[in-house]
């Protein structure tokens, strides 16, 4: 049964002269406790009716009602059930009303004895409409009620009558118990004035009010503390997010956390779950705690770190001197115990810095001194919140750094592309204009001698061939630079590649006299781990250059030996015109030719060495030039990887010495 009517409204209708007022919950608690105490302290047998909004409020007072029921058999307790509150007649009458009942918004206490009478009839104010602009203050003590509290016996009688009639509606079977009470009320005030000394009541009231005030002050203190911490988390978060420099992020977080949580030392460092140690760089210190900055901090074997990695959450050891984790460490391995002693760590908090379940680092708070430190749950939560922010910021900073790298690479590529277009344009225009001049002359001068015609035609053909090579080399270099080459890396005998390169060279330069070519390759050489076709390309280009820049009387030597690492160093040396020291690196630039664009006699493209460098570095090798200067010959060296496990048999067929030319 739901009775929506308000007891307060019914009372105010019956007694229109009564003016309600506003009470805070804390005042009503104090008043009702003082009223209940009056019953407990007196020798009257009063009627006591208490209506609680919900069962949970009644539960807090249930023990008092048990004691009150020793004084009088007229006790009625009403509440909306939440667990097992039902209609019952035991020590006193309990009356359960439904949650939607009008009583669920009201708080009533009526005490009516022979010597004293008082009542409290109130309804809770719904504050939601008043607090629309400002967020509601979630403090129980701030709840407000509107109603009456009085010693006035007429009002007490009326209130008792309304409530008793209401109880009869919920529990009609109580009529025989309630009817005499109602009859008594109908006969008018039992006594005109209160016959008790009001001083004890006032004293108790003040005591309860003080207690309420104390509770309120405590609640505000805890709110203020929470707010202070929240502000701290926000300020650290803001500082951490403002920066994209991981060092600054970790420094700020360590400093602020250490200060606010009153730690002796706060460390923040980066590590992964597999790291055996970390270098400490970010530290907050409270004097005179010794600094750990710059030291290597052991992680493996530290039970605290292992637990943090395993549980992926904060671990706090309040007293390192008595904690089981530390005492478990055997005598033989005293590292951790000595660590806590050496660095004066009495209480130790370790919090993981995680991002998507990956450990990025850790935050440590050390409390030093002779007494263990107590760390509240919300303080640990705060460190965890900041560790989360640190994780996010670190990832952000890293992504930003990667992005910057990528941008720089893109810019470099773009510059290269523009340079290439400019240079290639120039390089192509030169032969093209020669071809054009030759063909125009041939077309416009029909009387030209046969010999001159032949010269013109030969020039146009030679420059046409140069353009073809230039375009071919340019395309090869572009493919290599943009990573569009599909490598077929497999074990190769070096001598085979050298032979192929030599036959290609001889086919190309059939018409020219070549210098003597000497091959010195040991039979013991291991197989090389490269793409054979591209290695032949490198060898051909280097041999071609060596022959190009060496007189026919000179000599070109091919040598190879294994260096200290897992690489073979190949050397192609010649006795030709040599390279000046300041040009040894420049020769690898695109389009570098000593003769310059106008005096090209050797027919190269200026891209050969740039192509060789791209190929060799792609395999993890190195290529460089050496020379004793002009006319003292040149040496081109490059390194290539060998097959990891000694698969060297096939190379036994290598010829020791081979002479061509
Ligand atoms: P090119 O097609 O002009 O030979 P490369 O890139 O192969 O282009 O070589 C660039 C330049 O390096 C050559 O033009 C030449 O000046 C110099 N060079 C290369 N190899 C040798 C060598 N063996 N002796 C002297 N100079 C060389």
């Amino acid at each position: 049964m739901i009775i929506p009517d308000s007891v307060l409204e019914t009372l105010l209708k019956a007694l229109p002269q009564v003016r309600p007022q506003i009470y805070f919950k804390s005042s009503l608690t104090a008043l009702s406790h003082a009223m209940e105490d009056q019953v407990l302290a007196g020798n009257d047998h009063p009627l006591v009716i208490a209506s609680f909004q919900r069962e949970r409020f009644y539960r807090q007072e249930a023990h008092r009602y048990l004691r009150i029921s020793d004084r009088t058999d007229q006790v009625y307790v009403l509440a909306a059930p939440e667990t097992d509150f039902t209609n019952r007649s035991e020590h006193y009458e309990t009356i359960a009303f439904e949650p939607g009942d009008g009583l669920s918004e009201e708080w009533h206490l009526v005490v009516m004895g022979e010597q004293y009478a008082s009542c409290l009839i109130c309804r809770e104010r719904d504050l939601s409409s008043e607090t629309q602009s400002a967020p509601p203050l979630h403090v129980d003590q701030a709840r407000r009620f509107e109603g009456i509290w009085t010693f006035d016996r007429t009002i007490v009688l009326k209130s008792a009558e309304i409530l008793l009639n209401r109880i009869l509606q919920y529990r009609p079977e109580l009529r025989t118990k309630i009817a005499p009470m109602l009859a008594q009320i109908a006969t008018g005030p039992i006594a005109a004035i209160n016959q008790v000394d009001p001083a004890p009541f006032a004293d108790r009231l003040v005591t309860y009010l003080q207690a309420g005030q104390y509770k309120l002050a405590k609640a505000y203190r805890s709110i203020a503390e929470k707010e202070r911490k929240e502000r701290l988390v926000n300020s650290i978060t803001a500082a951490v997010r403002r920066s994209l420099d991981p060092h600054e992020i970790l420094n700020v977080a360590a400093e602020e956390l250490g200060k606010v949580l009153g730690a002796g030392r706060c460390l923040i460092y980066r590590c992964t779950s597999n790291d055996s140690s970390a270098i400490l760089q970010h530290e907050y210190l409270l004097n005179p705690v010794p600094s750990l900055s710059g030291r290597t901090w052991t992680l493996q074997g530290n039970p605290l770190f292992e637990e943090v990695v395993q549980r992926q959450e904060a671990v706090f050891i309040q007293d390192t001197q008595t904690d089981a984790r530390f005492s478990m460490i055997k005598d033989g391995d005293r590292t951790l115990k000595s660590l806590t002693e050496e660095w004066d760590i009495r209480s130790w908090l370790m919090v993981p810095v995680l991002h998507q379940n990956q450990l990025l680092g850790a935050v440590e708070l050390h409390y030093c001194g002779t007494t263990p430190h107590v760390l509240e749950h919300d303080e640990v939560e705060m460190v965890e919140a900041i560790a989360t922010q640190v994780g996010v910021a670190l990832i952000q900073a890293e992504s930003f750094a990667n992005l910057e790298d990528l941008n720089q690479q893109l810019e470099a590529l773009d510059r290269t592309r523009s340079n290439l277009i400019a240079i290639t344009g120039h390089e192509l225009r030169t032969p093209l204009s020669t071809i054009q001049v030759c063909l125009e002359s041939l077309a416009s001068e029909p009387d030209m001698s046969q010999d001159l015609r032949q010269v013109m035609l030969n020039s146009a053909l030679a420059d046409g061939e140069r353009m073809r090579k230039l375009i071919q080399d340019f395309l090869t270099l572009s493919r290599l630079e943009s990573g569009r080459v599909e490598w077929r890396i497999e074990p190769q005998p070096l001598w085979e590649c050298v032979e192929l390169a030599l036959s290609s060279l001889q086919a190309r330069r059939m018409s020219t006299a070549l210098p003597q070519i000497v091959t010195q390759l040991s039979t013991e050489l291991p197989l090389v781990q490269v793409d054979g076709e591209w290695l032949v390309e490198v060898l051909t280009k280097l041999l071609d250059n060596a022959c190009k820049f060496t007189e026919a009387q000179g000599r070109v030597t091919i040598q190879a030996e294994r260096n200290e690492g897992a690489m073979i160093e190949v050397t192609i040396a010649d006795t030709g015109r040599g390279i000046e020291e300041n040009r040894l690196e420049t020769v690898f630039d695109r389009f570098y030719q000593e003769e310059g664009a106008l005096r090209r006699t050797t027919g190269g493209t200026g891209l050969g060495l740039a192509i060789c460098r791209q190929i060799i570095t792609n395999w993890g090798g190195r290529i460089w030039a050496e020379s004793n200067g002009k006319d003292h010959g040149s040496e081109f060296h490059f390194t290539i990887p060998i097959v990891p496990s000694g698969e060297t048999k096939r190379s036994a067929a290598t010829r020791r010495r081979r002479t061509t030319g």
Side-chain angles (χ1 to χ4, degrees), residues 473 541-542 545-546 548-550 574 577-579 587 589 592-595 602-610 634 636:
D473 274 0
K541 282 197 184 318
L542 294 179
N545 278 350
K548 229 166 33 179
F549 300 112
T550 307
D574 64 59
R577 73 176 195 195
I579 303 170
V587 291
D589 290 350
Y592 172 80
Q593 287 188 321
E594 201 191 345
E595 294 87 351
T602 49
T605 62
L607 292 173
L609 289 179
S634 319
F636 280 84

Side-chain angles (χ1 to χ4, degrees), residues 244 246 355 392-406:
L244 284 167
H355 184 76
V392 171
L394 283 179
I395 292 291
Q396 263 180 13
E398 233 158 56
S399 319
F400 183 74
N402 289 345
L403 212 67
E404 277 224 312
D405 275 1
L406 221 65

